[in-house]
Amino acid sequence: MIFIYLQIFLMIFFFQVAYHKVFGNFVATYESCSTAAFKHGRTETVRSCTNATKEFALKFNSKNKPSKGDVIEMMKKCSSVHGKLTKEAAMGNCFYF
């Protein structure tokens, strides 16, 4: 299951990088997250275009390419942020003021 989750994350993640490379800006992406564990559970939305993803795309698409180690660290940070958002969505904690 973790491998499937990682594939989904990477796909969404690199959509942001590719979209930025082609169009020069960022776009909101939709990823659904079920709250079916709760009575009358619904679907929450995870917006995966975060500041961490934006920072990675800007560095990845810049003329001064980051080192392999920097890429790995940035991907870990993006994955951590995305995982936190997904867990919050699954628990129904996504409504912010």
Side-chain angles (χ1 to χ4, degrees):
M1 184 67 173
I2 292 173
F3 182 70
I4 293 170
Y5 176 75
L6 182 60
Q7 287 178 327
I8 293 168
F9 164 71
L10 287 174
M11 182 179 68
I12 292 169
F13 182 68
F14 282 108
F15 276 147
Q16 289 295 336
V17 173
Y19 190 90
H20 175 261
K21 186 170 184 93
V22 173
F23 297 103
N25 59 5
F26 298 92
V27 65
T29 53
Y30 174 87
E31 180 181 350
S32 63
C33 180
S34 175
T35 58
F38 299 101
K39 185 176 181 178
H40 304 296
R42 60 190 188 280
T43 303
E44 289 287 349
T45 301
V46 177
R47 296 293 182 180
S48 54
C49 185
T50 63
N51 287 333
T53 306
K54 180 180 175 183
E55 179 185 338
F56 178 84
L58 289 170
K59 288 183 180 178
F60 194 83
N61 290 333
S62 73
K63 294 183 187 224
N64 300 324
K65 299 291 181 197
S67 69
K68 191 180 213 179
D70 289 341
V71 169
I72 291 170
E73 287 304 313
M74 286 187 291
M75 287 183 75
K76 284 180 183 178
K77 181 179 178 183
C78 291
S79 177
S80 174
V81 170
H82 186 264
K84 182 177 181 266
L85 291 174
T86 302
K87 285 177 188 170
E88 288 178 354
M91 295 305 297
N93 297 330
C94 293
F95 191 75
Y96 297 105
F97 292 95

